[in-house]
Amino acid sequence: MTPRRVWNDPAYYLLPDQVLLSCETRLRYRVHRLLGQGGFGQVYLAQRTGRASGGATVCVKVSRYIDGWLREAYFGQLLHGH
């Protein structure tokens, strides 16, 4: 049986209720929970906050290694529409 992770486990990149600020858009996102993880990082359920946000629910992907994330984004753009 695999032990369950707890939120204070250093394997988590983000914490619940942590607020993230996008450097590009200046929008803020409140983290709810970890959805999953894989070779390129972790994905969290989050909600956009602020007056103009509309409270949109989003997924936030976090990676410790930028090169893997850039490769994935590149191939995602390359394959867009196929």
Side-chain angles (χ1 to χ4, degrees), residues 7 11-14 20 31-46 58-63 69 72:
W7 278 108
Y12 283 102
Y13 298 163
L14 302 176
L20 308 173
V31 175
H32 290 298
R33 64 184 174 91
L34 177 70
L35 292 175
Q37 61 185 0
F40 290 113
Q42 297 178 341
V43 177
Y44 292 84
L45 182 68
V58 298
C59 292
V60 175
K61 187 167 195 174
V62 182
S63 178
W69 188 90
E72 183 181 23

Side-chain angles (χ1 to χ4, degrees), residues 8-57:
N8 61 357
D9 185 328
Y12 283 102
Y13 298 163
L14 302 176
L15 298 173
D17 292 324
Q18 183 174 347
V19 175
L20 308 173
L21 174 66
S22 169
C23 297
E24 279 189 34
T25 64
R26 308 302 292 170
L27 294 172
R28 294 180 187 275
Y29 301 89
R30 181 174 305 279
V31 175
H32 290 298
R33 64 184 174 91
L34 177 70
L35 292 175
Q37 61 185 0
F40 290 113
Q42 297 178 341
V43 177
Y44 292 84
L45 182 68
Q47 191 163 20
R48 199 165 44 202
T49 63
R51 281 185 279 176
S53 73
T57 300

Side-chain angles (χ1 to χ4, degrees), residues 62-76:
V62 182
S63 178
R64 290 188 181 184
Y65 307 104
I66 190 72
D67 57 337
W69 188 90
L70 290 174
R71 256 191 321 276
E72 183 181 23
Y74 168 76
F75 284 110

Side-chain angles (χ1 to χ4, degrees), residues 73-82:
Y74 168 76
F75 284 110
Q77 281 186 325
L78 188 66
L79 298 172
H80 179 73
H82 290 282

